[in-house]
């Protein structure tokens, strides 16, 4: 079933309000801003705001869902038949690179929503996205739980938290590396760990 096409004017209005929200959160913090602040920054009136959202929390929640739904749609079925070969060759899947490209494209929003206090909804939703992404990859590589060294759920949450931490670091440092570099390094550390040689195994 095809999605209902949204009027471009509606999309533009929502984008203006979302951008205003992000800018104001960065400047003042979420708790201090008001609907009037948002509409003034977006150069829209309050009546227009209430045509789309109930209050600033509704704007925040819908903005969170919209941006992450776009991300999920982009990385859906991320791991195709090449996934095992890609992992073995330390070549990141194209959709893994796309994940970082999308974050880069919306860097201002991700940086604010992931680093600002009192924004648990976005962080928890982002964790869900990453967990789903990692779960698909692990299942494609090794569907047999008995061949894993730890419970699958443990590994999924471990890597999700690690990936999120790296993404936050990347954003806080103004994205010093390209999406492809980030995807490659995370792929490498996921499969091989951080050591060129295992320091816990002593050669006889």
């Amino acid at each position: 079933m095809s999605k209902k096409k949204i009027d471009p004017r509606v999309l533009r209005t929502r984008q203006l309000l979302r951008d205003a929200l992000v800018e104001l959160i960065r400047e003042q913090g979420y708790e201090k801003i008001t609907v009037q602040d948002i509409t003034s920054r977006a150069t829209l009136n309050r009546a227009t705001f209430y045509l789309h959202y109930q209050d600033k929390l509704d704007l925040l929640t819908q903005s969170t869902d919209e941006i992450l739904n776009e991300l999920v749609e982009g990385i859906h079925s991320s791991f195709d038949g090449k996934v095992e070969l890609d992992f073995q060759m330390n070549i990141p899947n194209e959709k893994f690179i796309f994940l970082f490209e999308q974050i880069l494209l919306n860097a201002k929003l991700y940086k604010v929503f992931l680093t600002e206090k009192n924004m648990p909804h976005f962080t928890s939703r982002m964790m869900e996205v990453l967990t789903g992404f990692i779960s698909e990859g692990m299942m494609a590589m090794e569907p047999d739980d008995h061949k894993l060294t730890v419970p699958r759920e443990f590994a999924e949450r471990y890597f999700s938290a690690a990936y999120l931490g790296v993404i936050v670091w990347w954003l806080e440092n103004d994205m010093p590396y390209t999406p492809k570099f980030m995807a490659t390094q995370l792929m490498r550390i996921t499969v091989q760990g951080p050591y060129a040689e295992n320091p816990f195994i002593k050669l006889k």
Side-chain angles (χ1 to χ4, degrees), residues 3 6 17 25 39 54 65 72 77-78 82 118 124 134 136 139 147-149 164 169-172 185 187 195 202:
K3 292 183 178 179
I6 301 177
L17 291 169
I25 291 175
T39 55
Q54 296 179 4
D65 291 340
V72 169
S77 300
S78 298
K82 299 187 304 177
N118 302 317
S124 62
I134 291 165
E136 287 185 23
M139 187 60 68
K147 293 183 179 180
L148 299 178
T149 59
L164 183 60
W169 170 85
W170 186 54
L171 290 166
E172 288 179 332
Q185 300 312 305
M187 179 76 71
Y195 307 106
K202 295 182 179 180

Side-chain angles (χ1 to χ4, degrees), residues 54 58 67 89 104 106 158 180 183 185 192:
Q54 296 179 4
D58 189 31
I67 199 70
M89 297 179 65
L104 178 61
N106 298 283
Y158 174 85
K180 184 175 182 179
Q185 300 312 305
Q192 298 180 340

Side-chain angles (χ1 to χ4, degrees), residues 3-198:
K3 292 183 178 179
K4 183 178 179 181
K5 189 173 182 180
I6 301 177
D7 189 321
R9 292 171 296 180
V10 172
L11 291 175
R12 181 176 181 277
T13 297
R14 291 181 180 176
Q15 185 66 54
L16 287 171
L17 291 169
R18 181 199 293 178
D19 290 346
L21 175 69
V22 170
E23 291 174 4
L24 289 167
I25 291 175
R26 183 180 59 181
E27 296 171 9
Q28 304 177 26
Y30 174 75
E31 297 299 332
K32 294 182 179 180
I33 63 178
T34 65
V35 169
Q36 184 61 56
D37 293 331
I38 296 168
T39 55
S40 295
R41 179 62 61 91
T43 63
L44 298 168
N45 58 50
R46 288 169 62 89
T48 300
F49 178 93
Y50 288 115
L51 284 174
H52 301 276
Y53 307 104
Q54 296 179 4
D55 49 32
K56 70 173 186 177
L57 178 59
D58 189 31
L59 169 60
L60 174 64
T61 302
Q62 288 198 44
S63 296
T64 294
D65 291 340
E66 287 168 5
I67 199 70
L68 291 178
N69 285 340
E70 291 173 8
L71 184 62
V72 169
E73 289 174 6
I75 63 175
H76 183 65
S77 300
S78 298
F79 297 93
D80 55 22
K82 299 187 304 177
V83 64
E84 186 173 355
L85 178 62
D86 288 346
F87 269 95
Q88 290 176 348
M89 297 179 65
N90 284 328
I91 300 172
N93 185 277
E94 290 182 1
K95 293 299 179 67
F96 194 17
I97 298 173
F98 177 84
L99 169 71
F100 280 94
E101 290 175 339
Q102 285 298 105
I103 294 173
L104 178 61
L105 184 64
N106 298 283
K108 185 185 296 185
L109 182 148
Y110 277 97
K111 184 174 182 179
V112 168
F113 282 9
L114 286 174
T115 61
E116 180 68 25
K117 294 180 180 178
N118 302 317
M119 307 288 283
H121 179 67
F122 189 85
T123 301
S124 62
R125 286 278 284 111
M126 186 67 182
M127 277 289 289
E128 290 176 9
V129 170
L130 291 173
T131 300
F133 180 79
I134 291 165
S135 177
E136 287 185 23
M138 288 186 62
M139 187 60 68
M141 283 194 66
E142 182 50 77
D144 186 352
D145 287 2
H146 294 93
K147 293 183 179 180
L148 299 178
T149 59
V150 297
R152 186 175 297 274
E153 301 82 19
F154 185 98
E156 290 171 353
R157 299 301 295 184
Y158 174 85
F159 285 118
S160 298
Y163 281 25
L164 183 60
V166 171
I167 288 169
V168 170
W169 170 85
W170 186 54
L171 290 166
E172 288 179 332
N173 287 275
D174 298 320
M175 289 97 25
Y177 302 112
T178 66
K180 184 175 182 179
F181 181 88
M182 293 298 295
T184 301
Q185 300 312 305
L186 275 181
M187 179 76 71
R188 182 172 297 158
I189 200 170
T190 298
V191 177
Q192 298 180 340
Y195 307 106
E197 295 182 5
N198 194 325

